[in-house]
Amino acid sequence: ALKKAGWDVQDRTRVVSEVDTKQSDFKARNYKVIDDTLRNDADSAYVDYLLLDSASSPLAIVEAKRTTKDPVFGQQQAEDYADDIKKQTGKDVFIFLTNGYDIWFWNRPHEAPRMVKGFHGREALERIRFQNVSKKPLSNVPINPKIVDRPFQIEAVKRVLEGIEKGKRKFLIVHATGTGKTRVAMAIIDVLLRAKRAQRILFLADRKALRDQAFNDGFKVFFPNELK
């Protein structure tokens, strides 16, 4: 699963196995593994896999449990490894918890752990890391009145944005036909883009005519620089 996402565990420019989080020098990128420190008397703690960014700095850790165990059982252990790294670098690393079947991703401290279908690749993790440090509070980004101006539309946008700030990931908006659901969606997208919370947005419609209408009358007008 790691290799499928671009993490070849034999490629030490990307992955280092059994890294000692107590005795490694993470700022100097000097990663000591179990063979280096197992026999000395200093404290040791070994993370199963350390995933490196394009500068060979710590990007994420993987805590792997046996297939018979719930991967979430490794959460505290993974936190300890991540804290060891942060003490030296001052930066958080992403956490993956797995038992070979289930994979949990933790963008700590920004989001709660959640189950995912596979490991994120290096580019995806670096993009999330950029969003973590550059994102703006959604409440600081005004809703564009040219996109939505009706009170109930603005209220819907605000409620979704408030939910996103609280870590929620799913929302259902119910509006009558012709009351501007697409406009509400565009207003939310506009805030997310300006707040640097998203880079790409997938907009789906159940009919081609609706898709074309949304594109020509809405997205083409309000997001001319985002279209490809």
Side-chain angles (χ1 to χ4, degrees), residues 56-70:
S56 296
S57 295
L59 181 61
I61 61 173
V62 180
E63 177 59 22
K65 293 300 182 185
R66 295 179 183 273
T67 55
T68 55
K69 291 188 176 182
D70 187 329

Side-chain angles (χ1 to χ4, degrees), residues 1-11 14-18 47-52 59-65 94-105 116-123 125:
L2 280 167
K3 191 171 184 177
K4 187 177 180 180
W7 302 107
D8 186 348
V9 297
Q10 304 302 322
D11 183 354
R14 289 180 171 268
V15 184
V16 188
S17 304
E18 298 290 350
V47 63
D48 293 314
Y49 299 102
L50 176 69
L51 309 184
L52 306 178
L59 181 61
I61 61 173
V62 180
E63 177 59 22
K65 293 300 182 185
F94 300 107
I95 295 174
F96 289 99
L97 308 170
T98 184
N99 62 0
Y101 293 109
D102 296 332
I103 302 173
W104 288 74
F105 172 64
V116 293
K117 295 295 185 182
F119 292 100
H120 296 54
R122 177 188 274 178
E123 183 181 349
L125 289 176

